[in-house]
Amino acid sequence: MASDWHTALDEIVRDLEPRLIELRRHLHAHPEPSGEELQTSLRLYQMLGDEGLAVRMGPEGCGVLVDEPRDAKGARVAFRGDIDALLIQDEKLVSYHSTRAGVMHACGHDAHATCAYGAAVALRRLVQQNLAPWPLTWRAILQPAEETASGARQMVAAGAMDRVERIFALHVEPKLPVGTVGVRSGPMTANCDLLKIAIHGRGGHGARPHESRDPIAAAATLISTLYQYVPRATDSLEAVVVSIGRVCGGSNPNVIPEHVELEGTVRTLESSVRLSTIDHIQQLARGVEEITGAKIEVQFSGSIPAVFNDADATETLRTAAAEVVGPQHCHLIARPSMGSEDFACYLEHAPGAMFRLGTAGDLSAITPLHTSRFDVDEKALTIGARVLARAVVAACEPKDGNRVERTRTPLP
Ligand code: NI
């Protein structure tokens, strides 16, 4: 019976629910920022190892990889949960609030790690109970440093994508009610390039700016030039957003400093727009140099490509989500987000897709991502684990032989 494994997975995950809530609360209470996820990784490593899963640590003790079966030579289906927290002070009044000053799971990565853990344990038990419909060969990737856009590349370098033919992931969505899931084929997040600008002037007395080359005036001109002329040079139907998030220069009210540093991001959906915007920013900087006499160096680094969800992988997620939450609660996401996600780095190696997991318990009191009161409705944990586990089983289905026909409604 084809449906046996579905029921079995559901029962396994239902039994796991108290443990998933406990794990998520533990991670929430003990957050670690990007690149410092040593205790988080160790805990996941031990808990997954205790289940008899073949675990290995990620680079420098951050992150965990799980391979089932351990030495399988064939292609694997992977799924990823990120594990890092943010430098934000937790201001929630709940028993599991962060115990670390200034560090908080404000992006739901504690929930992602928990869902990935739940999916891994459920898949293992399904095989142990001889209820897997076909051989399951998979890898779970518990990834550090998503927020600093470096963890995915580190995990890939550690072999996370070796022999992977499909990969799935999720992100919590506080704007969607718990019990709903969002999917989207095609672009899901934006390309994001970090922008660093060094402006070198000549310092002087605040009373006599004509004797200086004022880098603060140059910075002000450059910021307003970027904000005005980048959009003016881009087709209004294309998405591009430049934001300067850090301005650093000077230390006295009456002294014109020597240098100013600016940092920001450039986000685009199309790679042609990305390239032309990068060129254009360099050109605008040359123009501001000309006007102000300051030297301006522009550097782009840390580029994260857009997450592009593969149509077939999205269909696998949509089917899984529709089975778990009901087709009426599985939404098509209308537009991509201008946020970025380093899940895109895995998609450079194999096609895959990510879904949005609704986590709002009360839509009238939404706590947005990256804010000090962010929280998730924990009923979402088993939903996320079930969707991930089902997608992995479905994607492991042998492509030759007697493929089971399923009814499919095409995505618009
Ligand atoms: Ni996030």
Side-chain angles (χ1 to χ4, degrees), residues 180-253:
T180 63
V181 163
V183 294
R184 177 181 170 80
S185 182
M188 176 92 158
T189 64
N191 300 293
C192 181
D193 290 272
L194 288 179
L195 170 63
K196 277 193 182 185
I197 301 174
I199 303 175
H200 308 283
R202 189 168 67 226
H205 197 297
R208 289 178 286 284
H210 62 285
E211 292 173 0
S212 72
R213 294 247 163 94
D214 184 350
I216 289 189
T221 306
L222 181 58
I223 293 172
S224 48
T225 303
L226 293 177
Y227 285 7
Q228 184 176 1
Y229 287 99
V230 169
R232 296 306 285 168
T234 309
D235 184 330
S236 56
L237 293 175
E238 299 281 7
V240 55
V241 57
V242 180
S243 289
I244 300 295
R246 181 170 171 269
V247 177
C248 193
S251 42
N252 296 284

Side-chain angles (χ1 to χ4, degrees), residues 110-148:
D110 51 342
H112 305 165
T114 303
C115 291
Y117 165 83
V121 174
L123 290 166
R124 161 90 176 168
R125 293 193 183 172
L126 189 72
V127 171
Q128 282 177 321
Q129 294 171 16
N130 279 324
L131 288 168
W134 38 75
L136 306 180
T137 309
W138 53 269
R139 175 174 299 137
I141 304 167
L142 289 145
Q143 177 213 304
E146 193 284 322
E147 297 290 356
T148 50

Side-chain angles (χ1 to χ4, degrees), residues 82 107 109 112 146-147 171 341 370:
D82 39 9
C107 197
H109 298 190
H112 305 165
E146 193 284 322
E147 297 290 356
H171 204 293
E341 218 329 321
H370 293 213

Side-chain angles (χ1 to χ4, degrees), residues 97-403:
H97 66 78
S98 171
T99 56
R100 276 190 81 177
V103 188
M104 176 186 171
H105 271 294
C107 197
H109 298 190
D110 51 342
H112 305 165
T114 303
C115 291
Y117 165 83
V121 174
L123 290 166
R124 161 90 176 168
R125 293 193 183 172
L126 189 72
V127 171
Q128 282 177 321
Q129 294 171 16
N130 279 324
L131 288 168
W134 38 75
L136 306 180
T137 309
W138 53 269
R139 175 174 299 137
I141 304 167
L142 289 145
Q143 177 213 304
E146 193 284 322
E147 297 290 356
T148 50
S150 51
R153 292 218 160 92
Q154 287 162 16
M155 294 304 265
V156 170
M161 289 303 280
D162 294 356
R163 294 189 306 282
V164 169
E165 61 166 20
R166 216 14 134 247
I167 181 162
F168 299 107
L170 78 166
H171 204 293
V172 297
E173 177 50 84
K175 290 181 194 147
L176 280 179
V178 67
T180 63
V181 163
V183 294
R184 177 181 170 80
S185 182
M188 176 92 158
T189 64
N191 300 293
C192 181
D193 290 272
L194 288 179
L195 170 63
K196 277 193 182 185
I197 301 174
I199 303 175
H200 308 283
R202 189 168 67 226
H205 197 297
R208 289 178 286 284
H210 62 285
E211 292 173 0
S212 72
R213 294 247 163 94
D214 184 350
I216 289 189
T221 306
L222 181 58
I223 293 172
S224 48
T225 303
L226 293 177
Y227 285 7
Q228 184 176 1
Y229 287 99
V230 169
R232 296 306 285 168
T234 309
D235 184 330
S236 56
L237 293 175
E238 299 281 7
V240 55
V241 57
V242 180
S243 289
I244 300 295
R246 181 170 171 269
V247 177
C248 193
S251 42
N252 296 284
N254 58 351
V255 176
I256 292 166
E258 297 275 332
H259 311 287
V260 171
E261 274 174 38
L262 308 177
E263 286 184 3
T265 51
V266 180
R267 295 164 193 272
T268 50
L269 291 178
E270 290 293 328
S271 57
S272 60
V273 177
R274 172 178 173 263
L275 293 175
S276 62
T277 303
I278 286 175
D279 269 1
H280 190 215
I281 290 174
Q282 294 282 9
Q283 249 179 53
L284 293 173
R286 298 293 76 80
V288 174
E289 268 188 341
E290 189 94 343
I291 306 168
T292 62
K295 275 240 100 12
I296 302 180
E297 286 170 51
V298 181
Q299 278 188 346
F300 293 91
S301 63
S303 155
I304 292 290
V307 168
F308 193 92
N309 283 337
D310 172 76
D312 206 48
T314 304
E315 179 56 27
T316 305
L317 283 179
R318 194 187 67 88
T319 306
E323 287 166 2
V324 170
V325 295
Q328 71 279 26
H329 300 302
C330 183
H331 303 295
L332 294 177
I333 300 167
R335 295 195 296 186
S337 149
M338 290 308 284
S340 66
E341 218 329 321
D342 79 354
F343 180 64
C345 302
Y346 300 105
L347 299 181
E348 293 174 334
H349 302 270
M354 67 189 306
F355 65 97
R356 300 266 177 199
L357 176 68
T359 53
D362 176 1
L363 280 179
S364 65
I366 289 176
T367 48
L369 295 168
H370 293 213
T371 63
S372 59
R373 289 179 204 281
F374 176 76
D375 204 352
V376 303
D377 186 316
E378 289 166 333
K379 288 198 281 297
L381 298 174
T382 53
I383 297 172
R386 285 163 66 200
V387 174
L388 274 182
R390 276 175 195 244
V392 171
V393 176
C396 285
E397 183 180 344
K399 282 166 195 66
D400 38 23
N402 300 328
R403 196 184 167 99

